[in-house]
Amino acid sequence: MKKFLDDPKQFVPQMLEGLALANPDTLVYVPEYNLIQRADSPSVDRVSIVQGSGSGHEPAHVMNVGKGMLSAACPGDVFAAPPVDYVYETVKRLASPRGVLLLVNNYTGDRMAFEMAEELSVADGINVRTLFVDDDVSVQDSLYTVGRRGVAGNFFVMKAVGAAAEAGADLEELVRIGEKVNAVTRSMGVALTACTPPSKGSPLFDLAGDEIELGVGIHGEPGRERAKIAPASELVDTLLDALVTDLPFSSGDRVALMVNGLGGTPISELYLLYGIAHKRLAAQGITVGRNYIGEYCTSLDMAGASLTLVRLDEEIEDLLAAPAEVPIRVF
Amino acid sequence: MKKFLDDPKQFVPQMLEGLALANPDTLVYVPEYNLIQRADSPSVDRVSIVQGSGSGHEPAHVMNVGKGMLSAACPGDVFAAPPVDYVYETVKRLASPRGVLLLVNNYTGDRMAFEMAEELSVADGINVRTLFVDDDVSVQDSLYTVGRRGVAGNFFVMKAVGAAAEAGADLEELVRIGEKVNAVTRSMGVALTACTPPSKGSPLFDLAGDEIELGVGIHGEPGRERAKIAPASELVDTLLDALVTDLPFSSGDRVALMVNGLGGTPISELYLLYGIAHKRLAAQGITVGRNYIGEYCTSLDMAGASLTLVRLDEEIEDLLAAPAEVPIRVF
């Protein structure tokens, strides 16, 4: 294994320390709970929004903490759900009189941790609601899920409820918005290589030199099919067909299109995929109103990409277009 | 080779087409010359700033075109200097009465193309100046250079002259600023893996499972030493020692610190490196005033990273802090 790390056990803490040192004015890091929170949260004026998950998907979710996005994130170790006490402690610290919204990607371990933390928090009198994201069309059930997995489309739920919370929406309204965005969001990915977790030190699964995993999960879970590598245009067709027919999206729709890198794929290839996908959608009468090209939800160093489509309406588009300030930036 | 591409010959055009489709209001793509330019350039009020280089370093430089950064970029094929006629055509199209500033990383092929294009343009009566960037401390001469190579530190020169041009600075002033920033910028990188150019289809050089290349060039050129993989803290020490002693930077200095991913390294590892480097510099009395963590100048899918230090003064820091609008973004 060749990675930048000192000790696999310190991988997540050292990353979080770096994140906090890079954002001293806006983020607070609480090492005991892997907690990254906005320095200005909780606020009496604003519902707090909390997301947790295993680490290894950066920028999700610790680098999505900031104005107009998450109030806090409490990751677990790499590909491991955060312990219940991390989530519970995070909810207590972020408890606002306006309430706390928990965002959870649909994985059994994450659900358990968040549902137990919600129970404990409600018993403390905190106003909490939990919202599950399940945008991955690849498979119905999976290695770590009952029902569909939550993957990169989670970004759009975070962005929409984050913008609404910033504007003063109440907890019920945020649940409505989050469910609405999740309901019109569809994702599917493809792996060109496996990823290597720091503590394992070797690839999580085997993929031959000419093989790809269509519909891969962000923890390396099997997808729909182990296939042979194909030209980018064919891969885009396969992914878009799965997405478009699922919702379904149809001619006349205006969409957000995300081309998400899984960690080891250069941005040049993501733009190449974007161009192909944009034209394919246009040929079907589907207009890309907003585009998102880069890394949003990764799988460590996996080479691969996922496509996400969101059907836009005026409300969703306004929320996606609202300003936000998170650590990931160019300048 | 497993990459997202249709045909290696179409790799750069398809990427550029995707970039243009994703930014229809702000960028114009001229396929004949691989030219990406600001839709609002040239301007009679503003010196045009043009950078060219081989492709494969994205976001550099085609994704750095926009307000407050480059007016245009004219890349060559992967790791190949742009042809003279691409550069010459770009200069003619971007010719502003205020002049054109050409930015060139110090590689023999790029220098030749830009110097010939400058001669042709001057003969046409265009007011052109050329500025070379050579921030890489790794080696004195290299595979493709006489003198030091230009690598990720180039970003700071682009950003500073871009901000100054936007504010109305004249060509002589931009040359002064660019030379000043280049003179206080130092970079060095390390490769954990080789990269695979699309047209070659196999890794550009061999690196054993436990080997790294210290001081690697962004085209896979050899650096200072083929070494064994070491803990991240040791690698940061090695890179910082080389940078700090070179300028030299010293106690009391305020710096910008960039942790640049080379294409295949996840952002989690880059933040881990940042935390270590930030603390090491603080222990030497060097304050990180601005930080840049992500991909700025890559080498296709190479796993690895480079560190860049810039000694800040008020003028440089103001220029780096000025707003800019380029395609790479989160929202």
Side-chain angles (χ1 to χ4, degrees):
Chain A
M1 171 178 56
K2 290 195 285 186
K3 284 182 182 296
F4 292 116
L5 56 81
D6 283 331
D7 167 4
K9 287 195 182 62
Q10 293 304 311
F11 182 71
V12 173
Q14 282 187 296
M15 167 186 70
L16 298 179
E17 184 182 25
L19 179 60
L21 285 170
N23 298 277
D25 300 331
T26 52
L27 299 183
V28 172
Y29 170 41
V30 185
E32 305 89 290
Y33 302 101
N34 277 3
L35 168 55
I36 294 284
Q37 72 175 82
R38 281 175 66 170
D40 63 353
S41 285
S43 162
V44 294
D45 300 322
R46 197 172 60 224
V47 175
S48 292
I49 301 174
V50 171
Q51 170 105 35
S53 72
S55 291
H57 307 302
E58 294 72 24
H61 302 283
V62 291
M63 298 162 198
N64 298 135
V65 176
K67 191 173 178 183
M69 292 273 284
L70 298 181
S71 311
C74 54
D77 204 348
V78 171
F79 292 177
V84 177
D85 60 322
Y86 285 24
V87 184
Y88 179 39
E89 181 69 25
T90 302
V91 174
K92 284 194 289 185
R93 285 174 184 251
L94 273 294
S96 152
R98 308 277 324 262
V100 179
L101 177 66
L102 302 180
L103 296 182
V104 188
N105 283 352
N106 185 40
Y107 296 97
T108 306
D110 292 300
R111 287 192 78 116
M112 279 180 54
F114 275 82
E115 284 169 347
M116 289 180 66
E118 180 181 354
E119 275 182 38
L120 293 166
S121 306
V122 167
D124 288 345
I126 303 172
N127 187 18
V128 188
R129 293 289 300 275
T130 303
L131 205 150
F132 299 101
V133 178
D134 59 353
D135 54 309
D136 188 349
V137 307
S138 307
V139 290
Q140 184 51 35
D141 298 321
S142 182
L143 220 50
Y144 312 113
T145 57
V146 176
R148 287 180 165 182
R149 304 175 294 221
V151 290
N154 171 73
F155 171 85
F156 295 101
V157 177
M158 269 192 290
K159 179 67 188 71
V161 298
E166 205 68 41
D170 66 22
L171 187 53
E172 288 308 307
E173 174 72 352
L174 295 183
V175 170
R176 180 190 69 76
I177 290 169
E179 286 175 346
K180 173 180 165 178
V181 174
N182 184 52
V184 294
T185 300
R186 295 294 185 273
S187 302
M188 185 164 159
V190 54
L192 304 190
T193 70
C195 57
T196 297
S199 62
K200 184 167 189 292
S202 60
L204 201 53
F205 57 98
D206 292 318
L207 211 49
D210 62 348
E211 279 184 338
I212 60 174
E213 182 71 34
L214 274 167
V216 69
I218 56 172
H219 313 95
E221 304 97 310
R224 289 190 177 185
E225 191 189 347
R226 181 69 56 100
K228 296 288 178 194
I229 180 75
S233 292
E234 285 179 30
L235 294 176
V236 168
D237 281 345
T238 301
L239 296 178
L240 282 183
D241 282 352
L243 300 181
V244 167
T245 56
D246 191 90
L247 186 62
F249 295 87
S250 44
S251 181
D253 279 351
R254 183 173 166 88
V255 299
L257 168 60
M258 173 186 280
V259 180
N260 169 58
L262 292 179
T265 288
I267 194 153
S268 48
E269 295 180 38
L270 302 182
Y271 271 93
L272 181 147
L273 292 174
Y274 177 79
I276 297 168
H278 178 111
K279 290 192 290 182
R280 291 287 199 274
L281 290 168
Q284 294 176 55
I286 299 172
T287 303
V288 179
R290 297 185 65 78
N291 62 72
Y292 299 78
I293 304 157
E295 292 178 348
Y296 292 86
C297 185
T298 61
S299 185
L300 294 167
D301 54 350
M302 182 184 284
S306 65
L307 299 187
T308 298
L309 286 179
V310 185
R311 185 158 61 207
L312 297 174
D313 64 13
E314 197 179 328
E315 180 184 41
I316 295 175
E317 194 157 355
D318 285 349
L319 291 167
L320 295 182
E325 292 167 23
V326 296
I328 303 295
R329 58 178 178 179
V330 177
F331 302 109
Chain B
M1 172 178 53
K2 290 195 284 187
K3 285 182 183 294
F4 293 116
L5 56 81
D6 283 331
D7 167 1
K9 287 194 182 62
Q10 292 304 312
F11 182 72
V12 172
Q14 281 187 296
M15 165 184 73
L16 298 178
E17 184 181 26
L19 177 62
L21 285 170
N23 298 277
D25 300 330
T26 53
L27 299 183
V28 172
Y29 170 41
V30 184
E32 304 89 288
Y33 301 102
N34 277 3
L35 169 55
I36 294 284
Q37 73 174 80
R38 283 175 63 171
D40 64 353
S41 285
S43 162
V44 294
D45 300 321
R46 197 172 60 226
V47 175
S48 292
I49 301 174
V50 171
Q51 170 107 38
S53 72
S55 290
H57 307 301
E58 294 70 26
H61 302 281
V62 290
M63 297 161 198
N64 297 135
V65 176
K67 192 174 174 181
M69 291 273 285
L70 298 180
S71 310
C74 55
D77 205 347
V78 171
F79 293 176
V84 176
D85 59 322
Y86 286 23
V87 184
Y88 178 40
E89 183 67 25
T90 303
V91 174
K92 283 193 288 186
R93 283 172 184 251
L94 272 295
S96 153
R98 308 275 326 260
V100 180
L101 177 66
L102 303 179
L103 295 181
V104 187
N105 283 351
N106 185 40
Y107 296 98
T108 306
D110 293 300
R111 287 191 78 118
M112 276 179 55
F114 276 81
E115 284 170 344
M116 287 179 67
E118 181 182 353
E119 273 181 40
L120 294 166
S121 306
V122 167
D124 289 345
I126 303 172
N127 187 16
V128 188
R129 293 290 300 273
T130 303
L131 204 150
F132 299 100
V133 178
D134 59 353
D135 55 310
D136 188 347
V137 308
S138 306
V139 289
Q140 184 52 35
D141 298 321
S142 183
L143 221 49
Y144 311 113
T145 57
V146 175
R148 288 180 164 181
R149 303 176 296 221
V151 291
N154 171 72
F155 172 85
F156 295 100
V157 176
M158 269 192 291
K159 179 69 187 69
V161 298
E166 205 68 42
D170 65 24
L171 186 53
E172 288 307 307
E173 175 73 350
L174 295 183
V175 170
R176 179 190 69 77
I177 289 169
E179 287 177 345
K180 174 180 165 178
V181 174
N182 183 54
V184 294
T185 299
R186 295 293 185 274
S187 301
M188 185 163 157
V190 55
L192 305 189
T193 70
C195 57
T196 297
S199 61
K200 184 168 189 291
S202 60
L204 201 53
F205 57 99
D206 291 318
L207 212 48
D210 62 348
E211 279 184 337
I212 60 175
E213 182 72 31
L214 275 167
V216 70
I218 57 174
H219 313 94
E221 304 97 309
R224 288 191 178 185
E225 192 188 347
R226 181 69 55 99
K228 295 290 178 192
I229 180 75
S233 292
E234 286 180 30
L235 294 176
V236 168
D237 281 346
T238 301
L239 296 179
L240 282 184
D241 282 353
L243 300 181
V244 167
T245 56
D246 191 89
L247 187 63
F249 295 87
S250 44
S251 180
D253 279 351
R254 183 174 166 88
V255 299
L257 168 59
M258 172 185 281
V259 181
N260 169 57
L262 292 179
T265 287
I267 195 155
S268 48
E269 296 180 37
L270 302 182
Y271 271 93
L272 182 148
L273 292 174
Y274 177 79
I276 296 167
H278 178 112
K279 290 194 290 183
R280 290 287 199 276
L281 290 169
Q284 295 177 54
I286 298 171
T287 303
V288 179
R290 298 186 65 79
N291 62 74
Y292 298 79
I293 304 159
E295 292 178 346
Y296 292 84
C297 184
T298 61
S299 183
L300 295 166
D301 54 351
M302 182 184 285
S306 64
L307 299 186
T308 298
L309 287 178
V310 185
R311 186 158 60 206
L312 298 174
D313 62 15
E314 199 180 324
E315 179 183 42
I316 295 175
E317 194 156 357
D318 285 349
L319 292 168
L320 295 183
E325 291 166 25
V326 296
I328 303 297
R329 56 177 179 182
V330 178
F331 303 109

